[in-house]
Amino acid sequence: MTDTEVTDVTDVADAERVTPAGPPAWGWTTVATRVGPLGLAATEKGLLCVAFHADAATAAGTVARLTRRLGSGPLPPPPPPCAAHEVLTTATAELTAYFDGRLRTFSVPLDWSLTSGFNRRVLRELAAHVPYGTLASYQDLADRVGERGAARAVGVAMGSNPLPVVVPCHRVIESNGGLGGFGPGLETKRDLLALEGVLPEPLF
């Protein structure tokens, strides 16, 4: 087993560990976008999860998985005022502005608790240093976090990203210029890159 593989196993173990502080209060909502409905989950710390293709069935499945993971179900919509719902309001407004072409940098706070270890390091580097309209390769991100042989592990980290769009894994491509993978589908990745001016808009 390589060092990278050990890191990945540690990430999985950490991700499944229940925090001793008890279940967090969290909320859920959906927002309509040009790439379909996005499901959003947030705690009082920040945005926790972004789920693509959040129709009724997919949203229900995601909420069920988060409920098992977090140890409690989502809070009902306010009133009363709730910090988690305030985060969701901010995230909804910012994502709407992003898809309308009016926002390039997200400021909504993020809750990184669904990722850890190497994956979290790579995703935080991506969020901080790969801005709107730019690209990075899997190898480039591996180099940036000091793991030169870990391009494949970076791909795994992108695939496990709990905060896509806001943490822009769609901006990560292969070193040869290929699009690489994208869990929600390559058409969605192309659409996001076209929105940011990296690729031409499709004709049809």
Side-chain angles (χ1 to χ4, degrees):
M1 181 175 286
T2 67
D3 291 342
T4 297
E5 290 170 334
V6 170
T7 301
D8 290 342
V9 170
T10 302
D11 289 342
V12 172
D14 288 346
E16 295 300 326
R17 190 171 296 132
V18 177
T19 58
W26 63 285
W28 171 267
T29 193
T30 58
V31 56
T33 77
R34 64 185 274 172
V35 295
L38 297 180
L40 309 179
T43 67
E44 63 181 12
K45 293 180 181 178
L47 188 63
L48 178 73
C49 175
V50 176
F52 278 93
H53 311 310
D55 57 19
T58 301
T62 302
V63 168
R65 286 191 294 274
L66 287 171
T67 297
R68 291 192 298 270
R69 170 68 186 279
L70 299 174
S72 65
L75 296 167
C82 167
H85 285 291
E86 291 174 5
V87 173
L88 289 176
T89 297
T90 300
T92 297
E94 291 194 352
L95 282 162
T96 298
Y98 168 81
F99 282 104
D100 286 346
R102 297 181 286 108
L103 183 140
R104 296 191 171 195
T105 303
F106 292 97
S107 61
V108 63
L110 303 180
D111 182 339
W112 294 95
S113 61
L114 294 183
T115 187
S116 62
F118 175 83
N119 289 1
R120 185 186 293 186
R121 286 168 53 207
V122 171
L123 291 170
R124 291 182 74 102
E125 174 66 25
L126 171 64
H129 298 117
V130 183
Y132 185 102
T134 67
L135 299 172
S137 71
Y138 299 102
Q139 183 60 58
D140 180 43
L141 281 178
D143 293 344
R144 292 186 191 202
V145 298
E147 302 285 351
R148 291 186 174 274
R152 182 170 294 182
V154 169
V156 172
M158 297 303 103
S160 67
N161 179 14
L163 292 161
V165 184
V166 180
V167 177
C169 51
H170 60 278
R171 298 176 193 158
V172 184
I173 63 170
E174 297 174 349
S175 297
N176 63 7
L179 283 182
F182 195 60
L186 289 183
E187 286 303 317
T188 300
K189 187 170 189 174
R190 290 189 185 96
D191 202 354
L192 293 171
L193 293 177
L195 171 66
E196 297 186 9
V198 177
L199 295 178
E201 291 280 359
L203 295 178
F204 303 100

